[in-house]
Amino acid sequence: MASLHTNFLGVSSPNPFWLASAPPTDKQYNVERAFEAGWGGVVWKTLGEAGPPVVNVNGPRYGAIWGPDRRLLGLNNIELITDRDLEVNLREIETVKKNWPDRAMIVSLMVPCEEEPWKNILASVAQTGADAVELNFGCPHGMSERGMGSAVGQVPEYIEMVARWCKQHSDLPVIVKLTPNITDIRKPAEAAKRGGADAVSLINTINSIVSVDLDSYSPVPSIDGKGSHGGYCGPAVKPIALSMVSEIARHPETHGMPISGIGGIQTWRDAAEYIALGCGTVQVCTAAMTYGFKIVEEMVAGLEAWMDEKGHATIEDFRGMAVPNVTDWQYLNLNYVTKARINQDLCISCGRCHIACEDTSHQAITNMVDGVRKFEVIDEECVGCNLCVNVCPVDDCITMEQISGTDPRTGKPIDPDYGNWTEHPNNPSVHKEAAE
């Protein structure tokens, strides 16, 4: 059977599934329940500096986006970092690590952007026996207005500076948690690397307002008639997170830098996708908050079964395998042609493929054939966009088939010798090189 054991920055855990820094990791009771359920590690909810504790709202903290079946697609939260006393958190971290020495214990930190507070809190965390620290440069609400969280994560120079302080004042591995609320995710990752950080984790939550109450005219969640922007997470953010992870994994300046992937992970398949894009561990929050800690059992069993099927003995066997296949649009093969194919035995004649194509695409699917209601693809009009596949309610009823020979759109031969855009005659750089 495949082994899910991971070694991330020298931190060992029985599997790559870690709970992200969030409400589920706020206290000893929660974390030990998580370890009993089988989680490989946790990132303890973000600690602040000693002194008066942070005060959270005592009302609704979450807003949500649901699918038609009320399945949770996205969660918005306005909760701040831990509101529990620093010393209480540190004692509990030490106890949990002693009780569960085989699990990864990462401590998330956020203090003012000054060297002394970072030096002090790092020394305190080191005494707990924790395995590593994660610098929270991603939180987009509440703390960012105080000059912390994403206010730091959006300024590469600050990231580099704080990462350097942390490496100077601590022997613990340093993970920098990146904010997605930025134009180019590669810039903060580069800064973290320049500052000596050992890894990055991403993404943190996306700045958001998920809805407005049309009775009170207040953003949701509403506190006494007022609302605020918060952090968006859950399955809906996964595509954004995968893209940002891939950018760091394939960028020459950060290629090979260890990554802990975060964002919308609910299943073993989600985790496998992150690992295929180079992640050494994955962090989960919303799925645990939705379904409870035991969801990790399905994740572990599913990933093991898939790895056995594929012949992967460890996650290192497939980690990063998708990275070489992520490219810029200009390098896509313009001679690769596909057409939609409708399986008439599976078709339920709902007509969704026809109306989507007829109204919004290329008028390439019939709705009548010889006076009979029937949906067939018109190859001459089909551009292979696969919209019909995505709107069809029946699995595998519509598939895409690669074709060869003559492209019916242009009447020209499909020439596989061109391979990709770098060799394609429509690429201006080809003509430029030829002229030179």
Side-chain angles (χ1 to χ4, degrees):
M1 179 175 285
S3 169
L4 298 190
H5 180 269
T6 62
N7 189 308
F8 188 77
L9 309 180
V11 179
S12 176
S13 59
N15 62 62
F17 298 103
W18 295 359
L19 283 173
S21 169
T25 62
D26 192 29
K27 59 176 71 74
Q28 179 178 347
Y29 176 82
N30 298 53
V31 172
E32 293 201 325
R33 280 179 61 83
F35 286 162
E36 289 166 3
W39 290 89
V42 301
V43 183
W44 199 276
K45 184 171 170 65
T46 305
L47 308 182
E49 60 183 338
V54 167
V55 179
N56 269 292
V57 296
N58 290 308
R61 299 182 183 183
Y62 304 108
I65 298 292
W66 298 278
D69 59 355
R70 201 169 164 81
R71 181 168 297 185
L72 190 67
L73 301 180
L75 196 67
N76 164 287
N77 89 88
I78 60 170
E79 184 168 303
L80 303 181
I81 65 175
T82 184
D83 53 13
R84 303 168 70 237
D85 186 76
L86 176 62
E87 292 304 318
V88 172
N89 276 294
L90 293 171
R91 285 198 303 270
E92 291 185 2
I93 291 168
E94 182 175 7
T95 299
V96 173
K97 183 58 185 177
K98 287 179 179 177
N99 292 344
W100 299 86
D102 66 323
R103 308 303 170 94
M105 174 60 75
I106 317 300
V107 179
S108 178
L109 301 175
M110 183 194 293
V111 296
C113 202
E114 301 167 2
E115 185 171 3
E116 199 63 21
W118 282 103
K119 179 180 178 181
N120 293 339
I121 200 165
L122 285 164
S124 298
V125 171
Q127 295 175 6
T128 67
D131 297 303
V133 293
E134 182 180 81
L135 315 186
N136 184 346
F137 295 154
C139 188
H141 59 276
M143 306 307 293
S144 58
E145 288 91 330
R146 308 178 194 189
M148 293 179 276
S150 63
V152 177
Q154 292 168 338
V155 184
E157 293 80 5
Y158 290 174
I159 294 174
E160 180 179 350
M161 177 177 67
V162 178
R164 184 168 286 113
W165 289 341
C166 292
K167 290 302 295 181
Q168 177 183 345
H169 296 300
S170 175
D171 294 328
L172 292 172
V174 172
I175 304 167
V176 170
K177 190 173 187 179
L178 302 179
T179 177
N181 303 296
I182 194 164
T183 304
D184 187 346
I185 196 66
R186 296 172 298 181
K187 299 304 181 183
E190 290 176 16
K193 185 176 181 179
R194 288 195 301 270
D198 301 285
V200 292
S201 60
L202 68 154
I203 59 174
N204 206 312
T205 52
I206 299 171
N207 204 14
S208 62
I209 291 177
V210 291
S211 61
V212 173
D213 186 314
L214 292 180
D215 291 317
S216 67
Y217 299 101
S218 168
V220 176
S222 178
I223 306 296
D224 194 24
K226 301 290 184 181
S228 176
H229 63 95
Y232 192 51
C233 57
V237 311
K238 177 188 163 191
I240 299 167
L242 287 176
S243 176
M244 290 188 169
V245 165
S246 75
E247 288 300 294
I248 292 172
R250 70 190 185 99
H251 183 46
E253 297 299 319
T254 53
H255 175 73
M257 190 174 191
I259 303 172
S260 185
I262 313 169
I265 297 163
Q266 285 202 124
T267 69
W268 68 265
R269 185 179 294 274
D270 297 330
E273 292 174 12
Y274 275 90
I275 295 168
L277 283 173
C279 294
T281 64
V282 293
Q283 297 184 32
V284 179
C285 172
T286 307
M289 295 178 72
T290 307
Y291 302 108
F293 286 148
K294 288 191 175 182
I295 193 174
V296 75
E297 295 175 0
E298 298 177 16
M299 294 177 173
V300 167
L303 187 57
E304 285 177 341
W306 175 79
M307 288 171 60
D308 285 340
E309 179 184 335
K310 291 291 186 179
H312 298 314
T314 73
I315 66 169
E316 291 301 316
D317 290 350
F318 71 97
R319 187 172 67 83
M321 287 186 68
V323 176
N325 296 324
V326 182
T327 189
D328 294 336
W329 193 97
Q330 62 182 329
Y331 301 122
L332 298 177
N333 184 357
L334 299 189
N335 290 295
Y336 180 81
V337 178
T338 62
K339 302 293 177 185
R341 295 290 178 257
I342 301 174
N343 185 329
Q344 298 299 329
D345 292 332
L346 296 177
C347 180
I348 61 174
S349 298
C350 67
R352 289 177 63 179
C353 60
H354 164 75
I355 201 64
C357 189
E358 191 73 14
D359 284 357
T360 68
S361 292
H362 301 278
Q363 299 76 52
I365 297 178
T366 67
N367 66 342
M368 300 289 289
V369 177
D370 297 329
V372 178
R373 180 178 171 86
K374 188 176 184 180
F375 303 94
E376 290 185 345
V377 177
I378 306 169
D379 277 4
E380 292 76 10
E381 303 299 334
C382 178
V383 300
C385 72
N386 91 325
L387 174 62
C388 55
V389 175
N390 290 307
V391 302
C392 179
V394 180
D395 286 342
D396 299 324
C397 177
I398 307 179
T399 55
M400 302 305 297
E401 177 183 303
Q402 183 181 2
I403 67 171
S404 58
T406 301
D407 184 347
R409 296 170 299 172
T410 64
K412 297 179 180 180
I414 298 169
D415 189 349
D417 291 340
Y418 281 130
N420 61 45
W421 180 244
T422 57
E423 304 166 329
H424 198 280
N426 290 342
N427 184 352
S429 66
V430 173
H431 302 296
K432 180 175 181 291
E433 291 170 3
E436 291 173 349

